[in-house]
Coordinates of all heavy atoms in Angstrom, one line a residue:
D60 N -22.5 171.9 -116.6 CA -22.0 170.6 -117.1 C -23.0 169.8 -117.9 O -22.7 168.8 -118.5 CB -21.5 169.7 -115.9 CG -20.2 170.2 -115.3 OD1 -19.4 170.8 -116.0 OD2 -20.0 170.1 -114.1
P62 N -24.6 170.3 -120.8 CA -24.4 170.1 -122.3 C -23.3 169.1 -122.5 O -23.3 168.4 -123.5 CB -24.0 171.5 -122.8 CG -24.6 172.5 -121.8 CD -24.5 171.8 -120.5
V115 N -73.4 182.5 -76.1 CA -73.4 182.7 -77.5 C -74.5 181.8 -78.1 O -74.7 180.7 -77.8 CB -72.1 182.3 -78.2 CG1 -72.2 182.4 -79.7 CG2 -70.9 183.1 -77.7
Y232 N -60.1 198.7 -94.1 CA -59.7 198.6 -95.5 C -58.2 198.2 -95.5 O -57.4 198.9 -94.9 CB -59.9 199.9 -96.3 CG -61.3 200.4 -96.3 CD1 -61.8 201.4 -95.5 CD2 -62.2 199.8 -97.2 CE1 -63.1 201.9 -95.6 CE2 -63.5 200.3 -97.3 CZ -64.0 201.3 -96.5 OH -65.3 201.7 -96.5
C326 N -58.6 183.4 -107.3 CA -57.1 183.3 -107.3 C -56.5 183.5 -108.7 O -55.3 183.3 -108.9 CB -56.7 181.9 -106.7 SG -57.1 180.5 -107.7
G338 N -53.6 177.9 -105.1 CA -54.3 179.0 -105.5 C -53.6 180.3 -105.2 O -52.6 180.6 -105.7
E553 N -46.5 152.8 -120.8 CA -46.1 154.1 -120.3 C -44.7 154.6 -120.8 O -44.4 155.8 -120.8 CB -46.1 154.1 -118.7 CG -45.9 155.4 -118.1 CD -46.4 155.4 -116.6 OE1 -46.9 154.4 -116.2 OE2 -46.1 156.5 -116.0
P763 N -85.0 165.6 -128.0 CA -85.2 164.2 -128.6 C -86.4 164.1 -129.5 O -87.4 164.8 -129.2 CB -85.4 163.3 -127.3 CG -84.9 164.1 -126.2 CD -85.2 165.6 -126.6

Side-chain angles (χ1 to χ4, degrees):
D60 289 330
V115 177
Y232 299 103
C326 67
E553 191 162 352

